Amino acid sequence: MNRFKRIYVLLGVLVVACVATVGVMRYEEHKEQIKNSEEVVLELAKDSVKRLSWEYEEETLSFRKNETWIYEEDEAFPVDEEKINGLLDLFETFGVSFVIEEVEDYSQYGLDDPIGSIRMETEDQSYEIFLGSYSEMDSERYVSIGDGKVYLVKNDPLDQFDVKLPDLIKHDEIPSFEKITEVQFAGAENYSIAYEEDSADTYCVDDVYFTERGGEKKPLDTSLVDGYLDRIGSLGLTNYATYHATEEELASYGLDSPELTVTVDYSHENDEGKETPDTFVLYVSRAPEEKEASAGMEKNSGEDSKEEDLEEEDSKEEEMTAYARIGESQIIYQISGGDYENVMAASYHDLRHQEVLSADFADITQIEISLEGKVYALTSEKKDDEQIWYYQGEEVETSNLKTAFANLKAERFTEESPTQKEEISLTIHLDNKNYPEILVELYRYDGDTCLAMVDGESVSLVKRSVAVDLIEAVHEIVLGREQ
């Protein structure tokens, strides 16, 4: 009896082994259907596609092409044609790295319930691509195109199609201002800047921007004006508040009456290489309720300390709600408080020379210094493109004097007249036929600042420490050389 039991057990083991062997053979046979491939499974010219739609996660987007691409849910949405064409580029040559044929179980590839799909239609045919799981081992995604096969693709479609509607808007572009003709401000600032090379109205050779002040043409600091235009060019216009602003919406964003309008007249080369004039307009404003609140605070200000004002200003910038619009575009952008402040910093004092003397030190031929009742004269000459300075016929080192001049910068511009003692005055002779001589005077103002005057006109308050550096630089040169 035990013998028969052993036989039955052995027969059972044999049956199990046979079944396992058959299973392994079938598994091996199924594995053989997976093969490497360099096959291109779809070649679709993007110009032939008339409709494109896709679904992924919570996003379902659909576009059709008439003459241009249109967002089907809202035809007012400004579609970025280049971005849609960029999505279609993938399918002009859609290659795979593995092919799995005679698929029996789509679930192991995540294609029984795809995570997304992409549909394209031409005049006479439609194509649908289903997106499955991501193979971590191969670093590729499983897809199917409805032909009974599963593919591992070289380029994951989700690298391009994992986008939201705002990613596909055609944003307004800010040009690079190649050649400026004029910059005009309206609103919080009301003046214009003209571009002029080789002007006779400045002693600084780099000056090319000028504005009218009190009937006189005044130079501006070229680097400050260029920097201002660069900040406009780098505005982060990506966070749109609306893409089809109505008159009511313009008012709600404060752009029916902008705080500041910046108009830049410039020229650029067209596709034929010809210089073409153009105009760029930027409107900027805070939200109406913030403008009103700010106006009320300005009326009640004046009692807080300067430090408290600065802290409050930093806090306001972080919380500020501001908007921008380009020309007659219907897109309204929300901009950061920092960007708003950068655009609003457009006053004459923001863009004028901050130095008391903007002349190049290399253009100075002589300096007559009045200090503590005495007058000292320094002269210079050029030798082999090097500027050599002399005092009483002896060569002297003027690097500290040059540094002190450069550091004489405005802490605050003012038109106040001096009321206290003169600290130092300098008559500066320039190699400039239009401005051969300039008088710079520094007067005591308070314990921290001095009042600077240029050619008898009050200009700014400067740090008293810098005035002291200038005086010490003069003493350093003349000490021990007085006759």
Side-chain angles (χ1 to χ4, degrees):
M1 186 69 177
N2 289 337
R3 181 180 178 187
F4 285 112
K5 283 184 178 179
R6 284 197 296 272
I7 291 172
Y8 288 140
V9 170
L10 291 171
L11 285 172
V13 172
L14 180 60
V15 169
V16 171
C18 289
V19 170
T21 301
V22 171
V24 170
M25 289 176 64
R26 288 186 176 179
Y27 176 70
E28 291 297 330
E29 182 181 352
H30 183 67
K31 276 182 64 178
E32 288 175 359
Q33 304 303 312
I34 304 175
K35 58 185 180 181
N36 292 331
S37 174
E38 293 296 325
E39 184 179 353
V40 174
V41 297
L42 182 61
E43 290 183 288
L44 185 59
K46 61 187 173 188
D47 292 340
S48 68
V49 179
K50 301 300 180 185
R51 190 172 183 273
L52 171 66
S53 61
W54 65 92
E55 296 180 18
Y56 176 61
E57 294 182 337
E58 301 300 319
E59 199 77 35
T60 299
L61 298 173
S62 182
F63 300 84
R64 75 172 185 274
K65 186 175 184 180
N66 293 340
E67 292 184 0
T68 59
W69 282 102
I70 295 171
Y71 176 49
E72 292 192 328
E73 284 194 23
D74 185 356
E75 295 189 4
F77 181 83
V79 178
D80 190 320
E81 304 261 325
E82 289 186 7
K83 290 180 180 177
I84 296 294
N85 288 330
L87 295 175
L88 292 171
D89 280 341
L90 178 64
F91 303 110
E92 292 212 303
T93 306
F94 192 48
V96 302
S97 54
F98 285 91
V99 179
I100 305 169
E101 298 177 340
E102 299 180 15
V103 178
E104 296 177 359
D105 182 9
Y106 282 91
S107 65
Q108 63 181 315
Y109 309 113
L111 287 164
D112 58 329
D113 183 20
I115 63 171
S117 63
I118 302 166
R119 184 178 178 85
M120 295 168 287
E121 298 178 14
T122 63
E123 291 285 1
D124 50 14
Q125 195 170 353
S126 63
Y127 305 83
E128 193 157 18
I129 297 169
F130 298 97
L131 309 175
S133 304
Y134 187 79
S135 171
E136 297 292 346
M137 181 176 68
D138 301 291
S139 298
E140 295 183 358
R141 187 171 299 282
Y142 292 107
V143 304
S144 70
I145 60 174
D147 60 358
K149 302 176 184 179
V150 171
Y151 301 97
L152 270 173
V153 294
K154 298 177 179 178
N155 297 309
D156 184 357
L158 282 185
D159 288 343
Q160 284 79 37
F161 283 85
D162 184 11
V163 293
K164 307 294 184 184
L165 182 63
D167 299 319
L168 301 171
I169 190 171
K170 182 175 176 57
H171 289 296
D172 296 302
E173 294 183 1
I174 301 177
S176 57
F177 304 114
E178 296 176 14
K179 293 183 179 180
I180 303 294
T181 306
E182 187 175 34
V183 181
Q184 303 163 42
F185 300 103
E189 302 295 336
N190 284 281
Y191 73 103
S192 63
I193 299 172
Y195 182 92
E196 181 183 347
E197 295 181 353
D198 302 321
S199 174
D201 295 296
T202 179
Y203 50 76
C204 181
V205 294
D206 295 329
D207 288 344
V208 292
Y209 297 109
F210 298 86
T211 188
E212 292 285 339
R213 300 285 294 184
E216 294 182 26
K217 189 184 290 186
K218 298 287 187 179
L220 300 174
D221 188 313
T222 298
S223 63
L224 293 180
V225 176
D226 284 341
Y228 178 83
L229 295 172
D230 286 343
R231 288 192 292 276
I232 287 180
S234 61
L235 281 176
L237 300 185
T238 56
N239 183 22
Y240 70 84
T242 180
Y243 54 78
H244 195 253
T246 62
E247 291 297 325
E248 292 77 12
E249 285 178 315
L250 283 176
S252 70
Y253 298 122
L255 289 168
D256 58 332
S257 180
E259 282 187 79
L260 183 67
T261 300
V262 184
T263 303
V264 182
D265 294 327
Y266 68 103
S267 62
H268 60 90
E269 285 191 1
N270 61 19
D271 294 338
E272 299 174 353
K274 293 182 179 179
E275 193 167 302
T276 305
D278 211 337
T279 298
F280 167 83
V281 182
L282 171 68
Y283 304 100
V284 172
S285 187
R286 285 169 294 174
E289 60 274 13
E290 292 191 18
K291 280 195 290 185
E292 292 175 9
S294 177
M297 291 180 66
E298 286 175 4
K299 288 181 180 178
N300 298 323
S301 66
E303 298 181 1
D304 295 335
S305 70
K306 185 175 181 181
E307 183 176 345
E308 289 172 343
D309 286 343
L310 290 173
E311 290 177 358
E312 187 176 350
E313 190 173 321
D314 291 340
S315 175
K316 283 181 187 176
E317 187 174 305
E318 291 178 5
E319 300 172 1
M320 188 180 296
T321 306
Y323 301 97
R325 182 189 186 196
I326 304 297
E328 297 305 306
S329 170
Q330 290 186 293
I331 305 176
I332 305 301
Y333 299 93
Q334 184 170 345
I335 60 175
S336 69
D339 280 344
Y340 167 83
E341 295 291 353
N342 283 339
V343 175
M344 295 300 292
S347 72
Y348 168 62
H349 291 325
D350 287 321
L351 301 179
R352 67 187 290 188
H353 285 285
Q354 307 298 298
E355 307 92 344
V356 172
L357 181 70
S358 60
D360 190 332
F361 199 79
D363 292 334
I364 300 175
T365 60
Q366 183 175 329
I367 305 175
E368 294 162 1
I369 305 164
S370 176
L371 176 62
E372 298 171 349
K374 295 184 179 180
V375 177
Y376 309 98
L378 306 178
T379 59
S380 75
E381 65 175 348
K382 295 282 182 69
K383 287 185 178 180
D384 300 324
D385 294 329
E386 183 180 357
Q387 188 178 31
I388 309 298
W389 282 90
Y390 300 93
Y391 173 63
Q392 293 184 344
E394 294 183 27
E395 185 177 331
V396 292
E397 171 60 48
T398 58
S399 58
N400 289 339
L401 182 68
K402 181 179 179 180
T403 299
F405 263 121
N407 289 338
L408 277 177
K409 295 182 179 180
E411 289 289 290
R412 175 170 68 84
F413 292 102
T414 182
E415 295 180 357
E416 298 176 65
S417 298
T419 59
Q420 299 191 49
K421 172 188 172 184
E422 179 185 279
E423 299 277 18
I424 186 173
S425 70
L426 308 100
T427 301
I428 298 164
H429 300 265
L430 295 175
D431 183 15
N432 186 304
K433 64 180 181 180
N434 299 308
Y435 286 87
E437 185 177 296
I438 301 167
L439 174 64
V440 175
E441 301 165 285
L442 299 180
Y443 291 86
R444 184 175 299 172
Y445 185 81
D446 58 29
D448 296 320
T449 53
C450 288
L451 174 65
M453 299 185 70
V454 177
D455 288 338
E457 181 180 333
S458 295
V459 174
S460 61
L461 299 180
V462 299
K463 287 182 179 179
R464 179 168 173 74
S465 60
V466 177
V468 170
D469 289 343
L470 178 63
I471 292 170
E472 289 181 351
V474 172
H475 281 151
E476 179 183 306
I477 293 171
V478 304
L479 189 63
R481 295 186 175 88
E482 296 182 43
Q483 297 293 331

